[in-house]
Amino acid sequence: MKRFKLLVLTCVVLLFAFSSVISSQRHSQMTNLLSLSMKTVSWSAAELEMELIRLQHAFRRVALSDLPADEARLRFEIFWSRVEVLAVGEEARDFRGHPGVEQLLQELRASLTRMDSQVMALSDGDVSALELLTQLAPMEEQVRQLNVRSFSGDRALFSLKRVFDLQYEANIYLLGLLLSGAFLVILVIRESRNNRRQALHDSLTNLPNRNLFQKRLELAISKGRRKQHKVAVYMMDMNGFKEINDQLGHAAGDQLLREVAARLKNSIGKGELVARLGGDEFGVLQQGVTGRDQALVFARQLAAEINTPVTILGQRISPRLSIGISLFPEDALQPDKLLNNADTAMYAAKNEEMCCRLFEQEMENRALRKRILAEDLKRAIAQDQLQQLYQPIVSVVDRRVILVEALLRWRHPVYGDISPLEVVALAEQSGLAESLNFWVMTKACHQNMAWRCEGLNPPQVSVNISPMMYSRYDLVAMVERVLAETGLPAEQLVIEVTEDTTMQDIESSPQILSRLRGLGVELALDDFGTGHSSLSHLKKMPFQKLKIDKSFVRELEASPRDVELIRAIIHMAHGLGMQVVAEGIEEYSSFRQLSQQGCEYAQGYLLYKPLPSGEIGQILSSDASVELLQS
């Protein structure tokens, strides 16, 4: 688009210059024609006066017998012809256009007509020629005055000078136009260069951008094919950059990006290129690398240079890069594929918390699996192809079901059973978090209503909320919508939120949870003991239930200290007005210990495993307490 605009602007400039030259030429031609016309008119007036003088001289010589009368008559005819041509000739139109000329010509024609008979009667030595000379005297005076007044003297010279001044001014005007056009062309060329630089460079760091990096990579691969050289691509991403932006502001983030860009630029050698590819992602292009070992050493050197502390706005920050490496021709033969492989290796390094990783084919297989699962998950949500199981939660006192937790399951036709944690991660990375949470909650609420329609007395249904749904979307609005669409009473729904999820936004968490509580739903703090929440933070949260993570329950018998820890957690929860649910109970001894410590509710395979809705309905219809196998 920019090239098209530049082409149009150049065409306009050239058209402007061309039209200026043509206009100047036409002006010059018109000036020349005007000058020629003035000269022609002046010549006509001068010739008229000269012919009149010749005629007078002829009459004078006839009277002195110095000239035959026939010669005088011939001169008379010549003068009369001159007058007639000037009076009616097309070529003398400009001459007649001058003031007084046409009237003078008519008077001359009339005078010549009166004199004609006398001139025809002249004989050699006839003194009457002097009388004719007397009649011509007034004519001579009128012609001379016209010539002096209009076609000679200062006025004529001024007109000619004005013509040449106009020509000079036109030339100056043309020169100005040409200089302006040349200046405009220079500005266009300069602007084109600036636009081209802006199109190929990052405005924040002044590094080449993705477009230029892609072009240089194509050239490097082409050269590598010719000379049998290896080419290495390094893709780099800053870990935790979003948190820096959120906590310190975008100004700090921009300053950090500039610092990292400067360090990368100082770390590369001749023939190597560093570019900002977007956001907090950078790329380095290296030609002539000997192999994978050298590339790995170079990547570690880059990481060492970058991963040193820097002070930004008074804050000490330690940037951390994850680097992915892909080599031509081992890993890929095409530029796009080489970049994708380096990107895949970078994410592998980030997930494995390593500074750098070389690309491996298995990474691509995992990435392909991830892309396929993300696409199929979107389809599965839309077409209701997911499954939901329900795990009962029982009262420790009478072992009756008082609550069921909705648990997501997905069996992929190719990859088999996909773990719930992977499904949630896929949804959050693919922009499906909101639709997945909506599906899970709607399905659970509909099922609760279905049990009601069957005449059962259904327990509360508990739904887990993914971290992204809590922090980036309007969870309250979604809960309101689900309750309105399903008709489920709000008190029958329990929203489970993990410790770490509430810590993502400490300031707004109390407000979000209070709004949820205002709808009438209950709130449960899930996986307690595995997160990083503080007691001061916890006491602000309006939870009704606290779920002790299964990692504490499993080691209850083996570690006496865990018994004390469980006792302290239960006591603290009761002090904050919360009921306690213990997860992951698989041993009767654990159940007994928890009961002794005052835990209200229990959940685990010792009691019930996750079951389809139909089996849950059977349990509810029997209204029996669960039988525990004592070991």
Side-chain angles (χ1 to χ4, degrees), residues 359-408:
F359 174 76
E360 298 173 1
Q361 187 60 42
E362 181 59 29
M363 295 177 183
E364 184 175 19
N365 296 339
R366 290 198 297 268
L368 177 62
R369 176 183 180 275
K370 184 177 179 181
R371 287 195 296 270
I372 293 174
L373 287 177
E375 294 173 1
D376 291 348
L377 177 60
K378 182 177 181 180
R379 189 180 303 109
I381 295 172
Q383 299 178 2
D384 198 25
Q385 295 175 351
L386 301 174
Q387 183 185 10
Q388 194 135 277
L389 300 181
Y390 300 89
Q391 187 173 25
I393 299 173
V394 304
S395 169
V396 171
V397 176
D398 58 13
R399 300 194 296 277
R400 294 183 184 276
V401 177
I402 55 91
L403 181 69
V404 291
E405 180 178 0
L407 299 173
L408 179 66

Side-chain angles (χ1 to χ4, degrees), residues 182-457:
F183 181 68
L184 185 57
V185 169
I186 293 172
L187 290 179
V188 167
I189 294 174
R190 182 180 177 184
E191 185 66 20
S192 173
R193 289 178 177 174
N194 290 338
N195 290 340
R196 179 175 175 79
R197 176 170 181 80
Q198 291 175 2
L200 297 176
H201 287 76
D202 173 58
S203 59
L204 178 64
T205 63
N206 207 31
L207 291 178
N209 61 12
R210 183 178 289 273
N211 290 333
L212 183 54
F213 189 81
Q214 183 85 19
K215 294 178 185 294
R216 294 287 180 84
L217 177 58
E218 292 171 0
L219 292 175
I221 289 178
S222 178
K223 182 179 179 181
R225 285 196 181 98
R226 293 195 311 269
K227 298 188 176 183
Q228 301 297 310
H229 286 172
K230 296 180 185 293
V231 178
V233 172
Y234 305 83
M235 298 286 283
M236 289 162 275
D237 186 82
M238 292 179 61
N239 301 326
F241 180 74
K242 181 181 181 301
E243 287 70 18
I244 294 174
N245 260 342
D246 292 342
Q247 295 172 13
L248 301 181
H250 290 284
D254 290 347
Q255 188 173 339
L256 179 60
L257 288 174
R258 285 191 290 266
E259 177 64 26
V260 170
R263 291 183 180 185
L264 285 172
K265 193 172 183 179
N266 293 332
S267 300
I268 64 172
K270 186 177 181 181
E272 296 165 353
L273 175 72
V274 59
R276 184 188 178 201
L277 305 181
D280 59 337
E281 193 173 88
F282 295 87
V284 171
L285 174 63
Q286 185 182 39
Q287 302 183 55
V289 62
T290 58
R292 301 171 72 84
D293 291 340
Q294 182 187 354
L296 193 58
V297 169
F298 179 72
R300 287 171 178 164
Q301 290 174 350
L302 286 178
E305 289 288 335
I306 303 305
N307 298 344
T308 55
V310 58
T311 301
I312 302 292
L313 300 180
Q315 298 290 327
R316 195 71 168 166
I317 300 174
S318 296
R320 288 290 180 268
L321 286 185
S322 294
I323 306 176
I325 312 162
S326 180
L327 272 69
F328 167 87
E330 290 95 324
D331 299 327
L333 299 177
Q334 299 301 323
D336 290 341
K337 185 65 174 174
L338 201 63
L339 283 172
N340 288 338
N341 289 348
D343 199 54
T344 300
M346 179 192 72
Y347 280 107
K350 184 182 289 286
N351 292 334
E352 297 168 12
E353 297 184 356
M354 300 176 63
C355 75
C356 48
R357 278 296 304 271
L358 287 160
F359 174 76
E360 298 173 1
Q361 187 60 42
E362 181 59 29
M363 295 177 183
E364 184 175 19
N365 296 339
R366 290 198 297 268
L368 177 62
R369 176 183 180 275
K370 184 177 179 181
R371 287 195 296 270
I372 293 174
L373 287 177
E375 294 173 1
D376 291 348
L377 177 60
K378 182 177 181 180
R379 189 180 303 109
I381 295 172
Q383 299 178 2
D384 198 25
Q385 295 175 351
L386 301 174
Q387 183 185 10
Q388 194 135 277
L389 300 181
Y390 300 89
Q391 187 173 25
I393 299 173
V394 304
S395 169
V396 171
V397 176
D398 58 13
R399 300 194 296 277
R400 294 183 184 276
V401 177
I402 55 91
L403 181 69
V404 291
E405 180 178 0
L407 299 173
L408 179 66
R409 296 292 185 266
W410 183 30
R411 174 163 291 181
H412 191 271
V414 176
Y415 297 111
D417 291 331
I418 310 300
S419 74
L421 289 177
E422 185 176 4
V423 174
V424 172
L426 278 171
E428 294 190 341
Q429 293 166 9
S430 308
L432 301 174
E434 186 174 24
S435 58
L436 178 64
N437 280 270
F438 181 77
W439 184 91
V440 169
M441 187 177 295
T442 303
K443 194 77 171 178
C445 293
H446 271 308
Q447 185 57 60
N448 189 290
M449 292 300 294
W451 288 326
R452 288 173 176 269
C453 292
E454 293 173 9
L456 302 175
N457 184 22

Side-chain angles (χ1 to χ4, degrees), residues 487-507:
L488 181 71
E491 64 273 9
Q492 288 295 104
L493 178 62
V494 178
I495 303 295
E496 294 192 15
V497 184
T498 65
E499 275 189 279
D500 286 344
T501 299
T502 64
M503 291 296 292
Q504 288 184 0
D505 193 344
I506 296 176
E507 294 183 359

Side-chain angles (χ1 to χ4, degrees), residues 32 53 76 178 217 257 265 273 405 451 478 520 543 554 603 605 611 623:
N32 291 336
I53 292 173
F76 181 78
L178 292 177
L217 177 58
L257 288 174
K265 193 172 183 179
L273 175 72
E405 180 178 0
W451 288 326
M478 189 187 78
F543 290 108
R554 286 175 181 172
Q603 178 182 10
Y605 274 62
L611 300 171
D623 195 28

